[in-house]
Amino acid sequence: MPPLPIVKVSQLSKRFGPILALDQVELEVKPGEILGILGANGAGKTTLLHILLGLTTPTSGRVEVFGQNFENHRSQILQKTNFSSSYIALPFNLKVREVLHVFALLYGLTDSHPKIDQLLQLFEISETRDTAVGKLSSGQITRLNLCKALLNSPGLLLLDEPTASLDPDIAEKVRHLLRQAQARDGLTILYTSHNMYEVEQLCDRIIFLHRGRILASGSPDWMKQQFQQATLEQVFIRIARSGDVLAPENSGSHQQPT
Ligand SMILES: Nc1ncnc2c1ncn2[C@@H]1O[C@H](COP(=O)(O)OP(=O)(O)O)[C@@H](O)[C@H]1O
Ligand SMILES: [Mg+2]
């Protein structure tokens, strides 16, 4: 029997007034999979992650995480989930170690100091531990967010454009650390990025969202073959510009059989 999916959503839709941000999304994510969620601005990527974090309530559909119904097991699920986003603000007047300590308390961790030190070292920002968040560079804040995201040793990590402000060297290190966490702890990662190189390096599989619908799902190589493009960037542009024509009901299924 295949292992139970870590995330399973069916017929998931989210409406914001006239906007259908997610439209009948079907998705299963396997344990230990790194799934890239691609799509133009407004495609519905953040909405999907927010639903998995309980920050947005779906209009309709089912969400299961760790094999449990999200509505009924929300707090158990969220205890084992974490996220990082370029778009959240950390309290700027607290020091780095204080911020992580506060989050550790929120997560119910006892004796979090060794873990905090270990994560700061891992992301190479130990020297900022007594620096106020407001004085950090954007790359340091990004790494602090990732430390926060791994603090509760999550089984599911949701990353919304986490490396947007990192230089190529640090971005490469972060990818390596995420791969390590996947290999060592079986961490499952859902990840959005507009950096196609990074997506290709990191993701086992990607899905393309277009106006809230999944237009294609498969490995980066499969996507390039399927859309007859040399690079993932070209696949992205093709889908973003002609997604309406490529939608399954217009063109036959582009979904990879699983
Ligand atoms: N809280 C909200 N209220 C109204 N519309 C929203 C809200 N959040 C997202 N949307 C709309 O839903 C669509 C999908 O947004 P989002 O999930 O943020 O896209 P992405 O992350 O792919 O750029 C967009 O049209 C956006 O304007
Ligand atoms: Mg977004």
Side-chain angles (χ1 to χ4, degrees):
M1 253 191 12
L4 265 184
I6 294 290
V7 172
K8 181 173 181 189
V9 307
S10 26
Q11 299 185 316
L12 183 67
S13 295
K14 175 65 189 182
R15 185 174 275 289
F16 294 107
I19 296 167
L20 198 50
L22 293 176
D23 185 5
Q24 299 282 316
V25 168
E26 303 279 334
L27 177 66
E28 287 193 12
V29 188
K30 286 184 274 200
E33 189 171 27
I34 302 186
L35 178 81
I37 304 170
L38 302 188
N41 292 324
K45 304 178 296 293
T46 299
T47 302
L48 178 59
L49 296 186
H50 279 184
I51 286 175
L52 295 173
L53 285 165
L55 297 173
T56 296
T57 312
T59 304
S60 59
R62 274 180 68 82
V63 179
E64 282 174 29
V65 182
F66 303 116
Q68 293 179 307
N69 179 285
F70 194 92
E71 264 174 86
N72 303 339
H73 298 89
R74 184 191 161 96
S75 62
Q76 293 103 305
I77 290 169
L78 292 178
Q79 258 174 19
K80 295 186 279 178
T81 305
N82 211 322
F83 77 103
S84 174
S85 161
S86 306
Y87 304 107
I88 49 166
L90 296 169
F92 65 91
N93 52 344
L94 290 189
K95 293 174 179 172
V96 164
R97 62 178 164 79
E98 292 170 337
V99 168
L100 290 174
H101 190 60
V102 168
F103 276 102
L105 290 175
L106 285 174
Y107 299 150
L109 302 180
T110 49
D111 190 26
S112 58
H113 293 294
K115 179 93 185 178
I116 289 173
D117 286 343
Q118 183 204 350
L119 285 168
L120 290 173
Q121 259 177 31
L122 211 56
F123 286 97
E124 300 185 17
I125 49 168
S126 296
E127 76 283 0
T128 66
R129 64 196 310 286
D130 291 311
T131 307
V133 169
K135 296 200 169 135
L136 299 179
S137 72
S138 58
Q140 288 168 331
I141 289 179
T142 302
R143 282 178 279 166
L144 173 57
N145 262 312
L146 286 162
C147 289
K148 183 229 78 163
L150 291 173
L151 204 49
N152 63 333
S153 309
L156 174 64
L157 190 57
L158 307 175
L159 304 175
D160 201 0
E161 303 182 30
T163 56
S165 57
L166 298 182
D167 71 48
D169 176 42
I170 296 291
E172 161 68 30
K173 284 178 180 157
V174 166
R175 285 196 292 276
H176 176 71
L177 291 169
L178 293 175
R179 273 267 172 225
Q180 251 184 353
Q182 178 209 32
R184 193 187 49 225
D185 310 323
L187 181 62
T188 304
I189 302 174
L190 269 66
Y191 163 86
T192 79
S193 171
H194 290 304
N195 178 338
M196 295 301 125
Y197 170 76
E198 176 162 291
V199 166
E200 246 183 298
Q201 294 292 309
L202 191 61
C203 297
D204 303 309
R205 179 164 67 106
I206 50 186
I207 57 172
F208 267 101
L209 275 180
H210 178 78
R211 296 187 202 271
R213 304 175 64 179
I214 296 182
L215 279 198
S217 157
S219 70
D221 281 344
W222 184 88
M223 288 287 180
K224 286 187 280 187
Q225 266 174 25
Q226 182 71 17
F227 289 91
Q228 298 173 351
Q229 304 290 332
T231 66
L232 203 54
E233 192 135 340
Q234 287 166 324
V235 176
F236 185 102
I237 291 168
R238 170 117 202 274
I239 292 183
R241 290 189 187 158
S242 47
D244 294 334
V245 181
L246 295 167
E249 71 225 30
N250 295 325
S251 64
S253 177
H254 273 289
Q255 303 245 356
Q256 186 179 26
T258 44

